[in-house]
């Protein structure tokens, strides 16, 4: 190992080393320490277990974000493909109508030729590049009957409409191609993130995996404690609300209170159906992009749950978060949707007492879990969809 000390003149005594024997021993120790450090260079480079856990969690979150982008691109692609198909069908019908109008013009020209009404002008008409090139000549238009003029007008109307539809279909096809490219890019991103996470986990020893499980268990215990605390707060708030409602009934007419009660009852009925559906999916695997019936991603599960209650909500978290009324976490009711992270990439359905049902992440199954499963700061908002 190269020394970082400046060279000293021969014969100069280094302070603290009084004999050649001591100097030799010291230099030998330095050399041995240097060899030991160089023999294990990877020890410092290996990430800690906490760093691995954070990296894996980040990768799963990134995969879930990409999953929502995939879902949005898939939905957009399906709508665009349907639109393109409709446009192409319409274009085919218009093209047929245009051909019928062209044939009508041909029959009129042939009839004029047979009767001698058109003379040489008809031949010019038939040889023209487009009917407009010839019919613009006013002398021919003057010789046409009302029916013939109607046929010409119809031809040009159909031709113009067909051209517009053809251009519209072309633009839609281009948009469809872009949507398909976005879909493929999002799919590739998901697969890459999941592969990276699996690779990190595969490098852990049995002991490290056990320690990682212990860390996860402590997080779950803390999340459960926070859920119990929220449940107590909500129970107290509900007790105070009922007391206030009873006092109001004794001093004010009951029309408004009965109206609110009816509204709450209607939501509770729908929420009960949504929760019944969600509970019946517990144990099914998380699969990115899945909407059931055998597997789900997070937003696929919440969409399916509320659909079972007769309420249509959008497919992806970015849209679901805007599909209802935002309420404070302290006022969350069973059936409400709980969204997570600043980029709104995860969602679960609240079941009460600080708990929810959700499809957590790849490798996991639909389950009940505390809404604090990733810490209080991870909660973005609570939305009442119906």
């Amino acid at each position: 190992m190269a020394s970082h000390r400046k060279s000293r003149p021969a014969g100069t005594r280094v302070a603290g080393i009084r004999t050649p024997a001591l100097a030799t021993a010291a230099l030998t120790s330095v050399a041995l320490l240097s060899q030991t450090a160089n023999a294990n260079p990877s020890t410092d480079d290996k990430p800690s277990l906490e760093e691995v856990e954070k990296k894996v969690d980040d990768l799963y979150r990134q995969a879930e974000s990409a999953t929502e982008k995939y879902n949005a691109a898939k939905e957009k692609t399906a709508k665009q493909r349907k639109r393109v198909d409709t446009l192409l069908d319409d274009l085919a019908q218009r093209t047929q109508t245009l051909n019928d109008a062209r044939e009508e013009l041909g029959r009129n020209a042939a009839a004029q030729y047979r009767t001698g009404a058109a003379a040489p002008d008809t031949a010019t008409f038939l040889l023209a590049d487009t009917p407009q090139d010839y019919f613009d000549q006013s002398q021919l238009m003057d010789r046409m009957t009302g029916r013939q003029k109607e046929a010409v007008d119809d031809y040009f109307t159909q031709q113009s409409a067909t051209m517009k539809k053809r251009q519209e279909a072309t633009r839609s096809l281009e948009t469809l191609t872009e949507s398909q490219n976005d879909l493929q890019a999002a799919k590739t991103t998901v697969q890459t993130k999941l592969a990276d996470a699996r690779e990190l986990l595969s490098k852990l020893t049995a002991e490290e995996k056990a320690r990682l499980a212990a860390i996860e268990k402590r997080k779950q215990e803390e999340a459960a404690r926070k859920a119990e605390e929220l449940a107590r707060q909500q129970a107290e708030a509900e007790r105070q609300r009922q007391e206030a409602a009873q006092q109001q009934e004794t001093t004010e007419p009951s029309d408004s209170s009965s109206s609110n009660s009816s509204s709450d009852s209607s939501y509770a009925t729908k929420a009960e159906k949504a929760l019944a559906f969600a509970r019946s999916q517990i144990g099914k695997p998380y699969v990115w992009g899945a909407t059931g019936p055998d597997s789900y991603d997070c937003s696929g599960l919440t969409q399916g749950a509320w659909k079972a209650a007769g309420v249509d909500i959008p497919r992806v978290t970015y849209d679901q978060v805007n599909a209802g009324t935002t309420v404070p976490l302290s006022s969350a009711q069973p059936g409400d949707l709980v969204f997570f992270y600043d980029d709104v990439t995860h969602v679960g359905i609240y079941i009460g007492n600080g708990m929810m049902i959700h499809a957590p992440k790849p490798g996991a199954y639909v389950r009940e879990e505390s809404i604090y499963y990733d810490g209080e700061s991870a909660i973005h908002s609570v939305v009442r969809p119906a």
Side-chain angles (χ1 to χ4, degrees):
M1 177 175 180
S3 174
H4 295 290
R5 299 187 180 88
K6 294 182 180 180
S7 60
R8 299 177 181 273
T12 302
R13 179 169 60 85
V14 179
I17 301 181
R18 299 182 181 277
T19 65
L22 288 173
T24 301
L27 292 172
T28 302
S29 298
V30 170
L32 288 172
L33 287 171
S34 173
Q35 291 173 1
T36 302
N38 290 333
N40 299 288
S42 62
T43 302
D44 293 337
D45 295 337
K46 185 176 180 179
S48 67
L49 193 60
E50 289 74 14
E51 290 173 334
V52 170
E53 182 196 28
K54 184 179 185 306
K55 181 64 175 177
V56 169
D57 286 345
D58 287 345
L59 286 169
Y60 278 141
R61 276 198 56 199
Q62 292 167 18
E64 192 160 37
S65 176
T67 295
E68 291 305 306
K69 292 178 181 177
Y70 169 86
N71 292 338
K74 184 177 180 181
E75 187 176 42
K76 182 179 178 181
T77 299
K79 290 180 179 178
Q80 198 62 33
R81 181 177 287 112
K82 184 177 180 179
R83 174 171 172 75
V84 168
D85 290 343
T86 300
L87 284 171
L88 291 177
D89 289 343
D90 186 48
L91 180 59
Q93 293 175 359
R94 290 180 180 277
T95 300
Q96 182 59 49
T97 302
L98 182 63
N99 291 336
D100 293 342
R102 185 181 289 113
E103 290 177 3
E104 178 69 16
L105 290 178
R107 286 193 293 270
N108 288 336
Q112 286 185 340
Y113 180 78
R114 284 194 300 271
T115 60
D121 289 335
T122 300
T124 305
F125 166 74
L126 293 174
L127 294 173
D129 291 336
T130 66
Q132 186 65 49
D133 293 341
Y134 186 76
F135 285 127
D136 278 343
Q137 302 176 40
S138 59
Q139 63 272 24
L140 179 61
M141 296 297 289
D142 291 340
R143 292 200 297 269
M144 284 185 175
T145 65
R147 180 180 177 183
Q148 290 169 336
K149 288 181 179 180
E150 184 180 342
V152 172
D153 291 341
D154 182 59
Y155 173 81
F156 290 126
T157 299
Q158 295 298 333
Q159 184 185 48
S160 176
T162 301
M163 285 298 296
K164 288 180 180 179
K165 284 296 179 181
R166 184 174 286 115
Q167 292 170 355
E168 188 177 354
T170 300
R171 288 193 297 269
S172 292
L173 282 170
E174 291 172 353
T175 303
L176 175 59
T177 300
E178 292 174 1
S179 298
Q180 289 172 329
N181 291 339
D182 291 343
L183 185 65
Q184 184 58 47
K187 181 177 181 179
T188 300
T189 300
V190 173
Q191 292 172 333
T192 300
K193 298 299 182 183
L194 293 181
D196 290 345
R198 284 192 293 266
E199 182 180 3
L200 276 174
L201 291 173
S202 69
K203 292 180 180 179
L204 296 178
T205 64
E207 180 184 357
E208 289 172 328
K209 290 178 180 178
R211 287 170 53 201
L212 192 62
I215 292 174
E216 183 65 25
K217 183 178 179 181
R218 287 196 296 272
K219 287 175 61 178
Q220 291 176 350
E221 290 172 349
E222 174 60 18
R225 185 190 67 77
K226 293 285 292 181
E228 290 172 358
E229 181 181 334
L230 176 62
R232 286 193 296 271
Q233 293 173 355
Q234 289 182 326
E236 175 61 21
E238 176 62 18
R239 184 187 66 78
Q240 293 178 2
R241 188 190 70 80
Q242 290 181 357
E243 287 182 357
Q246 289 175 355
Q247 292 177 359
Q248 185 178 13
E249 286 180 1
T250 60
T251 58
E252 296 179 9
S254 60
D255 290 345
S256 60
S257 61
S258 61
S259 175
N260 291 334
S261 176
S262 176
S263 176
D264 291 343
S265 176
S266 175
Y267 179 77
T269 300
K270 293 176 183 178
E272 186 177 349
K273 292 179 180 179
L275 290 175
F277 176 91
R279 287 192 176 94
S280 68
Q281 311 310 312
I282 290 177
K284 293 183 179 180
Y286 175 103
V287 174
W288 63 273
T291 56
D294 299 321
S295 57
Y296 294 88
D297 64 16
C298 66
S299 56
L301 176 65
T302 51
Q303 184 190 44
W306 272 103
K307 185 176 182 180
V311 178
D312 289 327
I313 62 175
R315 171 65 180 93
V316 297
T317 54
Y318 316 126
D319 295 327
Q320 287 184 6
V321 74
N322 297 315
T325 303
T326 301
V327 298
L329 177 59
S330 59
S331 301
Q333 295 180 12
D336 291 350
L337 301 181
V338 186
F339 294 90
F340 298 85
Y341 311 117
D342 292 339
D343 53 358
V344 197
T345 52
H346 189 69
V347 62
I349 184 167
Y350 192 64
I351 61 176
N353 296 325
M355 302 293 286
M356 66 177 174
I357 297 174
H358 70 148
K361 60 185 179 181
Y365 298 84
V366 175
R367 66 192 183 204
E368 289 187 11
E369 192 164 27
S370 167
I371 62 173
Y372 298 102
Y373 79 105
D374 202 18
E376 186 171 1
S377 62
I379 299 174
H380 177 275
S381 57
V382 180
V383 171
R384 191 157 297 154

